[in-house]
Short mmCIF file of all heavy atoms in Angstrom, two decimals:
data_model
loop_
_atom_site.label_atom_id
_atom_site.label_comp_id
_atom_site.label_asym_id
_atom_site.label_seq_id
_atom_site.Cartn_x
_atom_site.Cartn_y
_atom_site.Cartn_z
N ARG A 1 -57.69 -74.65 21.07
CA ARG A 1 -57.93 -74.27 19.73
C ARG A 1 -58.93 -73.11 19.58
O ARG A 1 -59.94 -73.09 20.28
CB ARG A 1 -58.48 -75.50 18.92
CG ARG A 1 -58.63 -75.24 17.45
CD ARG A 1 -59.08 -76.50 16.74
NE ARG A 1 -58.13 -77.56 16.90
CZ ARG A 1 -58.37 -78.82 16.58
NH1 ARG A 1 -59.51 -79.16 16.01
NH2 ARG A 1 -57.43 -79.73 16.77
N LYS A 2 -58.57 -72.22 18.74
CA LYS A 2 -59.43 -71.10 18.38
C LYS A 2 -59.52 -71.12 16.84
O LYS A 2 -58.65 -71.58 16.16
CB LYS A 2 -58.90 -69.76 18.84
CG LYS A 2 -58.71 -69.69 20.38
CD LYS A 2 -60.03 -69.71 21.09
CE LYS A 2 -59.84 -69.60 22.59
NZ LYS A 2 -61.12 -69.66 23.34
N GLU A 3 -60.59 -70.52 16.32
CA GLU A 3 -60.80 -70.53 14.88
C GLU A 3 -59.67 -69.81 14.13
O GLU A 3 -59.28 -70.21 13.04
CB GLU A 3 -62.14 -69.90 14.55
CG GLU A 3 -63.33 -70.76 14.99
CD GLU A 3 -64.64 -70.11 14.52
OE1 GLU A 3 -64.58 -69.06 13.90
OE2 GLU A 3 -65.72 -70.70 14.83
N HIS A 4 -59.12 -68.76 14.74
CA HIS A 4 -58.12 -67.98 14.03
C HIS A 4 -56.73 -68.44 14.34
O HIS A 4 -55.76 -67.78 13.92
CB HIS A 4 -58.29 -66.48 14.37
CG HIS A 4 -58.11 -66.19 15.83
ND1 HIS A 4 -59.15 -66.41 16.72
CD2 HIS A 4 -57.09 -65.74 16.56
CE1 HIS A 4 -58.76 -66.04 17.96
NE2 HIS A 4 -57.50 -65.65 17.86
N TRP A 5 -56.54 -69.53 15.08
CA TRP A 5 -55.22 -70.04 15.37
C TRP A 5 -54.84 -71.10 14.38
O TRP A 5 -55.54 -72.11 14.19
CB TRP A 5 -55.18 -70.65 16.77
CG TRP A 5 -55.17 -69.62 17.87
CD1 TRP A 5 -55.39 -68.29 17.73
CD2 TRP A 5 -54.92 -69.86 19.24
NE1 TRP A 5 -55.29 -67.69 18.94
CE2 TRP A 5 -55.00 -68.59 19.92
CE3 TRP A 5 -54.59 -70.98 20.02
CZ2 TRP A 5 -54.80 -68.46 21.27
CZ3 TRP A 5 -54.44 -70.80 21.39
CH2 TRP A 5 -54.51 -69.58 21.99
N MET A 6 -53.74 -70.88 13.71
CA MET A 6 -53.31 -71.89 12.73
C MET A 6 -51.76 -71.74 12.53
O MET A 6 -51.26 -70.61 12.36
CB MET A 6 -53.99 -71.69 11.38
CG MET A 6 -53.59 -72.76 10.34
SD MET A 6 -54.52 -72.55 8.77
CE MET A 6 -53.96 -70.94 8.26
N VAL A 7 -51.06 -72.85 12.57
CA VAL A 7 -49.60 -72.85 12.32
C VAL A 7 -49.42 -73.44 10.95
O VAL A 7 -49.59 -74.65 10.71
CB VAL A 7 -48.84 -73.64 13.42
CG1 VAL A 7 -47.36 -73.65 13.09
CG2 VAL A 7 -49.12 -73.09 14.77
N HIS A 8 -49.05 -72.61 9.96
CA HIS A 8 -48.97 -73.02 8.57
C HIS A 8 -47.66 -72.50 7.97
O HIS A 8 -47.43 -71.28 7.93
CB HIS A 8 -50.19 -72.48 7.83
CG HIS A 8 -50.22 -72.91 6.36
ND1 HIS A 8 -50.93 -74.01 5.95
CD2 HIS A 8 -49.65 -72.39 5.26
CE1 HIS A 8 -50.82 -74.13 4.62
NE2 HIS A 8 -49.99 -73.16 4.20
N ILE A 9 -46.77 -73.41 7.58
CA ILE A 9 -45.50 -73.03 6.97
C ILE A 9 -45.48 -73.52 5.54
O ILE A 9 -45.53 -74.74 5.29
CB ILE A 9 -44.32 -73.63 7.77
CG1 ILE A 9 -44.41 -73.19 9.27
CG2 ILE A 9 -42.99 -73.17 7.17
CD1 ILE A 9 -43.34 -73.83 10.11
N THR A 10 -45.39 -72.59 4.62
CA THR A 10 -45.37 -72.99 3.20
C THR A 10 -43.98 -73.47 2.81
O THR A 10 -43.00 -73.20 3.48
CB THR A 10 -45.75 -71.81 2.31
OG1 THR A 10 -44.84 -70.72 2.53
CG2 THR A 10 -47.18 -71.33 2.62
N GLY A 11 -43.95 -74.21 1.70
CA GLY A 11 -42.71 -74.80 1.24
C GLY A 11 -41.64 -73.78 0.96
O GLY A 11 -40.46 -73.95 1.34
N LYS A 12 -41.98 -72.66 0.29
CA LYS A 12 -40.96 -71.71 -0.11
C LYS A 12 -40.34 -71.02 1.09
O LYS A 12 -39.13 -70.82 1.19
CB LYS A 12 -41.57 -70.70 -1.07
CG LYS A 12 -40.55 -69.74 -1.65
CD LYS A 12 -41.04 -69.10 -2.95
CE LYS A 12 -41.12 -70.11 -4.07
NZ LYS A 12 -41.36 -69.52 -5.39
N TRP A 13 -41.20 -70.59 2.05
CA TRP A 13 -40.68 -69.95 3.25
C TRP A 13 -39.90 -70.92 4.12
O TRP A 13 -38.93 -70.55 4.78
CB TRP A 13 -41.79 -69.31 4.07
CG TRP A 13 -42.04 -67.88 3.66
CD1 TRP A 13 -43.11 -67.42 2.96
CD2 TRP A 13 -41.20 -66.76 3.87
NE1 TRP A 13 -42.99 -66.04 2.76
CE2 TRP A 13 -41.81 -65.62 3.32
CE3 TRP A 13 -39.97 -66.60 4.52
CZ2 TRP A 13 -41.24 -64.36 3.38
CZ3 TRP A 13 -39.40 -65.34 4.59
CH2 TRP A 13 -40.05 -64.25 4.01
N PHE A 14 -40.28 -72.18 4.13
CA PHE A 14 -39.50 -73.21 4.88
C PHE A 14 -38.12 -73.34 4.25
O PHE A 14 -37.10 -73.37 4.96
CB PHE A 14 -40.24 -74.51 4.83
CG PHE A 14 -39.49 -75.65 5.50
CD1 PHE A 14 -39.53 -75.82 6.86
CD2 PHE A 14 -38.72 -76.52 4.73
CE1 PHE A 14 -38.81 -76.86 7.48
CE2 PHE A 14 -38.03 -77.57 5.34
CZ PHE A 14 -38.06 -77.72 6.69
N ASN A 15 -38.05 -73.41 2.96
CA ASN A 15 -36.79 -73.57 2.27
C ASN A 15 -35.86 -72.37 2.45
O ASN A 15 -34.67 -72.48 2.75
CB ASN A 15 -37.01 -73.82 0.78
CG ASN A 15 -37.71 -75.14 0.50
OD1 ASN A 15 -37.56 -76.07 1.26
ND2 ASN A 15 -38.51 -75.18 -0.54
N TYR A 16 -36.41 -71.16 2.27
CA TYR A 16 -35.57 -69.98 2.39
C TYR A 16 -35.29 -69.67 3.86
O TYR A 16 -34.33 -68.96 4.16
CB TYR A 16 -36.24 -68.81 1.71
CG TYR A 16 -36.16 -68.87 0.21
CD1 TYR A 16 -37.28 -68.72 -0.62
CD2 TYR A 16 -34.95 -69.11 -0.41
CE1 TYR A 16 -37.20 -68.79 -1.97
CE2 TYR A 16 -34.84 -69.19 -1.80
CZ TYR A 16 -35.97 -69.04 -2.56
OH TYR A 16 -35.88 -69.11 -3.92
N GLY A 17 -36.11 -70.16 4.77
CA GLY A 17 -35.75 -70.06 6.19
C GLY A 17 -34.47 -70.81 6.51
O GLY A 17 -33.63 -70.37 7.28
N ILE A 18 -34.33 -72.00 5.92
CA ILE A 18 -33.06 -72.76 6.09
C ILE A 18 -31.90 -72.00 5.47
O ILE A 18 -30.82 -71.94 6.04
CB ILE A 18 -33.23 -74.14 5.40
CG1 ILE A 18 -34.27 -74.97 6.18
CG2 ILE A 18 -31.89 -74.88 5.37
CD1 ILE A 18 -34.55 -76.33 5.55
N LEU A 19 -32.12 -71.36 4.32
CA LEU A 19 -31.03 -70.57 3.69
C LEU A 19 -30.60 -69.44 4.60
O LEU A 19 -29.42 -69.10 4.69
CB LEU A 19 -31.50 -70.05 2.36
CG LEU A 19 -30.52 -69.16 1.60
CD1 LEU A 19 -29.21 -69.93 1.30
CD2 LEU A 19 -31.11 -68.64 0.30
N LEU A 20 -31.55 -68.83 5.31
CA LEU A 20 -31.22 -67.73 6.21
C LEU A 20 -30.36 -68.25 7.40
O LEU A 20 -29.46 -67.53 7.88
CB LEU A 20 -32.48 -67.04 6.74
CG LEU A 20 -33.23 -66.20 5.71
CD1 LEU A 20 -34.57 -65.76 6.26
CD2 LEU A 20 -32.38 -64.99 5.31
N MET A 21 -30.61 -69.48 7.85
CA MET A 21 -29.72 -70.06 8.89
C MET A 21 -28.33 -70.25 8.36
O MET A 21 -27.35 -70.00 9.10
CB MET A 21 -30.31 -71.41 9.35
CG MET A 21 -31.75 -71.35 9.89
SD MET A 21 -31.91 -70.31 11.33
CE MET A 21 -32.75 -68.92 10.59
N VAL A 22 -28.23 -70.68 7.12
CA VAL A 22 -26.90 -70.82 6.51
C VAL A 22 -26.19 -69.47 6.39
O VAL A 22 -24.98 -69.37 6.58
CB VAL A 22 -26.99 -71.51 5.14
CG1 VAL A 22 -25.67 -71.58 4.44
CG2 VAL A 22 -27.60 -72.92 5.30
N MET A 23 -27.00 -68.42 6.07
CA MET A 23 -26.39 -67.10 6.02
C MET A 23 -25.75 -66.65 7.30
O MET A 23 -24.72 -65.97 7.31
CB MET A 23 -27.46 -66.09 5.57
CG MET A 23 -27.84 -66.17 4.12
SD MET A 23 -29.05 -64.87 3.72
CE MET A 23 -29.43 -65.25 1.99
N LEU A 24 -26.36 -67.03 8.41
CA LEU A 24 -25.77 -66.68 9.72
C LEU A 24 -24.41 -67.32 9.90
O LEU A 24 -23.48 -66.70 10.37
CB LEU A 24 -26.73 -67.11 10.84
CG LEU A 24 -28.06 -66.36 10.96
CD1 LEU A 24 -28.86 -66.94 12.12
CD2 LEU A 24 -27.83 -64.87 11.19
N LEU A 25 -24.28 -68.59 9.52
CA LEU A 25 -23.00 -69.29 9.57
C LEU A 25 -22.01 -68.68 8.63
O LEU A 25 -20.82 -68.50 8.96
CB LEU A 25 -23.18 -70.79 9.28
CG LEU A 25 -24.04 -71.56 10.31
CD1 LEU A 25 -24.23 -73.04 9.82
CD2 LEU A 25 -23.36 -71.58 11.68
N ASP A 26 -22.48 -68.34 7.43
CA ASP A 26 -21.59 -67.68 6.46
C ASP A 26 -21.17 -66.32 6.91
O ASP A 26 -20.01 -65.89 6.64
CB ASP A 26 -22.28 -67.60 5.10
CG ASP A 26 -22.48 -68.95 4.43
OD1 ASP A 26 -21.77 -69.90 4.82
OD2 ASP A 26 -23.37 -69.05 3.56
N LEU A 27 -22.04 -65.64 7.59
CA LEU A 27 -21.70 -64.29 8.11
C LEU A 27 -20.65 -64.42 9.21
O LEU A 27 -19.74 -63.59 9.33
CB LEU A 27 -22.96 -63.60 8.67
CG LEU A 27 -22.78 -62.17 9.14
CD1 LEU A 27 -22.38 -61.29 7.97
CD2 LEU A 27 -24.11 -61.67 9.75
N ASN A 28 -20.76 -65.45 10.06
CA ASN A 28 -19.72 -65.70 11.07
C ASN A 28 -18.40 -66.03 10.43
O ASN A 28 -17.35 -65.61 10.89
CB ASN A 28 -20.15 -66.82 12.00
CG ASN A 28 -19.17 -67.12 13.08
OD1 ASN A 28 -18.85 -66.33 13.96
ND2 ASN A 28 -18.57 -68.34 13.00
N MET A 29 -18.45 -66.81 9.34
CA MET A 29 -17.22 -67.12 8.62
C MET A 29 -16.57 -65.86 8.04
O MET A 29 -15.37 -65.69 8.09
CB MET A 29 -17.53 -68.11 7.52
CG MET A 29 -16.34 -68.52 6.65
SD MET A 29 -15.19 -69.58 7.49
CE MET A 29 -16.10 -71.13 7.49
#
């Protein structure tokens, strides 16, 4: 651990990150 180390995922980016995964499948389609 370091003071400037932090893994923080906000709700909106988590949700739209899933949408981007779906976009990859839709792009393959």
Side-chain angles (χ1 to χ4, degrees):
R1 187 177 300 171
K2 301 292 182 182
E3 290 184 0
H4 59 280
W5 284 12
M6 182 177 64
V7 180
H8 182 95
I9 304 176
T10 59
K12 187 159 291 190
W13 269 109
F14 176 82
N15 294 330
Y16 286 128
I18 294 176
L19 178 60
L20 288 171
M21 302 300 105
V22 175
M23 285 183 183
L24 292 178
L25 295 174
D26 292 339
L27 187 62
N28 179 66
M29 179 71 75

